[in-house]
Amino acid sequence: MAESEAVLDVRHVSRSFGALRAVNGLSFTLGRGQVCGFVGPNGAGKTTTMRILATLDLPDAGDALVEGCSVLADPRGVRRRVGFMSDQFVPYPNLDVEQYLDFFARAYGLRGEERRRRVRDLAGFCGLDTFLDRPVSGLSKGMGQRLHLAKTLLHDPVLLVLDEPTAGLDPHARIEFRELVLALAQRGKSVLVSSHILSELAEVCDWVLVIERGQQVVAGAIEAVGRDLQQGSLRVAWRVLADAEGAERFLLVQPHVEGVSRDGSRVRFGFTGDEAALAALLARGAAEGLALVECRLEEAGLEDIFLKVTQGRLQ
C-alpha cells in the first residue's frame, strides 16, 4: 500500500512499562474503508497500541500517523481524525441519551444547528432515535454500546479504533453492532477492531493483524493468510450419518491425513495429497462402510490462523 493511500501508518512503535515491553517495534498500515481485526492473546499489547493511536499514551520509540498527522508532533490533529471506543462504557448520571450526546458534541466544538443535526443523525444511525429521552444509566448493555459508538462518531473521524466493542453483548446485539461497523466501512471509515470472538471478527474484517508479546506475528487478508498457512494442505470436513468415531479411526491410519478431529457427526482433517488422492480416500471410506453424506473443503478461518501462529504466552 502506498503511503498516500494509508489512513493509518504505524511505524516501529514500542512501549514499555518498567521491564515489561508491551509493544515491541510494531509496524502496519490501514487503508481507507478497510476493517482490520486486531488479534492476539491476553497481554499481547493490543490495548496499549490502541491507546497510543488515540493519543492516550505515548510510545517510547517510533510513531503513528493518521492521515499524515503524528501522535507525537500533532496529537490534536490526530484526535480530530480518530474515534476511540474503549472496552468499557461508563454512563454519566442524571443525563438522558440526547443530553449525553449533546454534551460530547459541545466538547468536540460543534455548535448550533450543526450540533443538533449531528446528534439527531447519529441517534438515527445507531438506532437510538426512540431512546433520546431515556436515562443513560437505564440502558441495556447493547443500547449502551450503541450510545458509546454514537459518541465516538460525533466528530466524524476517519479512523475508528474499537477495543472489544461487543464484549458482554447477546448474539442479537452483536449481529446488529457488526452491521453498524460494516455500514461505517461502506461510508469510507477505516476501522481497527479487537475482539476475542474470532468467528465474529472474520465476518466483518477484510484484513487481520495478529500480534503476540507486542510483536507482529502475521498480517494480511484473511483468505490469503489462511492459504499461506495451509502450505499445500487441504482442510477437509466429512459428515457421516453414524459412527463418527469409526470414521475418525479410519482416517488416523490413512496416507496424507493429518490433524484429525471429531465434533458430533463431523470429522475434520488436513490432507496433503492431491485431488486424485482425496478421491481414492473417499472410495476407501465407502468400501469400509462409512456412511459419508458430505465432504467439504474448508479454508483456514481466523480461529485456525490464531491457533497456528500464536503460542498463547502471557506477559
Side-chain angles (χ1 to χ4, degrees):
M1 180 184 301
E3 182 175 320
S4 60
E5 297 175 339
V7 169
L8 173 63
D9 185 8
V10 178
R11 301 177 176 178
H12 310 291
V13 165
S14 295
R15 179 71 168 99
S16 297
F17 299 93
L20 173 65
R21 181 65 65 93
V23 184
N24 189 5
L26 187 62
S27 297
F28 64 95
T29 59
L30 187 61
R32 194 171 303 278
Q34 195 173 45
V35 182
C36 177
F38 195 27
V39 180
N42 290 329
K46 302 186 299 297
T47 295
T48 298
T49 301
M50 290 180 156
R51 286 177 56 83
I52 289 172
L53 298 181
T55 73
L56 297 175
D57 200 356
L58 292 173
D60 300 324
D63 199 358
L65 307 179
V66 182
E67 288 193 326
C69 295
S70 162
V71 297
L72 296 174
D74 187 11
R76 287 182 177 271
V78 171
R79 291 174 198 137
R80 287 194 294 269
R81 292 165 170 81
V82 174
F84 176 55
M85 183 174 171
S86 64
D87 58 350
Q88 289 190 354
F89 169 60
V90 180
Y92 286 14
N94 305 317
L95 292 179
D96 61 30
V97 168
E98 185 172 18
Q99 291 168 336
Y100 181 90
L101 291 175
D102 186 74
F103 170 81
F104 280 99
R106 291 172 185 268
Y108 283 125
L110 299 175
R111 297 291 181 265
E113 181 56 31
E114 180 189 10
R115 184 186 78 246
R116 290 186 287 272
R117 177 182 55 80
R118 189 74 60 83
V119 167
R120 289 195 303 269
D121 288 350
L122 285 173
F125 175 75
C126 293
L128 296 165
D129 42 348
T130 59
F131 291 80
L132 290 175
D133 60 352
R134 184 77 60 87
V136 172
S137 57
L139 294 176
S140 67
K141 175 72 173 179
M143 296 311 295
Q145 290 298 85
R146 285 172 175 264
L147 180 57
H148 200 7
L149 179 63
K151 183 264 289 183
T152 303
L153 294 169
L154 279 168
H155 60 304
D156 196 24
V158 298
L159 172 65
L160 296 175
V161 179
L162 312 180
D163 191 5
E164 296 284 348
T166 59
L169 299 186
D170 62 52
H172 185 71
R174 288 204 303 269
I175 292 171
E176 291 179 338
F177 198 94
R178 185 171 69 232
E179 291 173 348
L180 289 175
V181 172
L182 289 171
L184 289 166
Q186 290 170 359
R187 295 185 179 191
K189 305 293 186 186
S190 302
V191 184
L192 182 70
V193 53
S194 74
S195 176
H196 289 296
I197 309 173
L198 301 186
S199 58
E200 177 181 286
L201 274 186
E203 295 182 13
V204 73
C205 297
D206 46 26
W207 195 263
V208 62
L209 171 64
V210 183
I211 68 170
E212 187 167 33
R213 299 178 68 86
Q215 295 180 305
Q216 176 181 309
V217 178
V218 68
I222 294 175
E223 292 183 0
V225 171
R227 286 195 299 268
D228 290 343
L229 290 175
Q230 285 177 324
Q231 296 178 341
S233 173
L234 301 174
R235 191 66 187 166
V236 185
W238 280 7
R239 184 166 64 89
V240 294
L241 281 179
D243 196 15
E245 186 177 352
E248 181 183 24
R249 289 196 303 269
F250 165 79
L251 288 167
L252 286 171
V253 297
Q254 298 302 310
H256 308 299
V257 172
E258 59 185 17
V260 181
S261 64
R262 176 166 49 91
D263 181 13
S265 64
R266 294 189 182 274
V267 184
R268 290 180 169 84
F269 58 95
F271 191 75
T272 58
D274 57 17
E275 290 185 347
L278 180 59
L281 176 65
L282 289 169
R284 289 196 300 274
E288 289 287 333
L290 298 180
L292 180 65
V293 295
E294 182 184 7
C295 176
R296 181 162 50 90
L297 299 182
E298 298 181 331
E299 292 186 344
L302 191 51
E303 291 183 351
D304 299 312
I305 293 170
F306 178 78
L307 292 174
K308 193 160 188 175
V309 303
T310 62
Q311 300 178 23
R313 296 179 298 174
L314 302 179
Q315 63 170 351

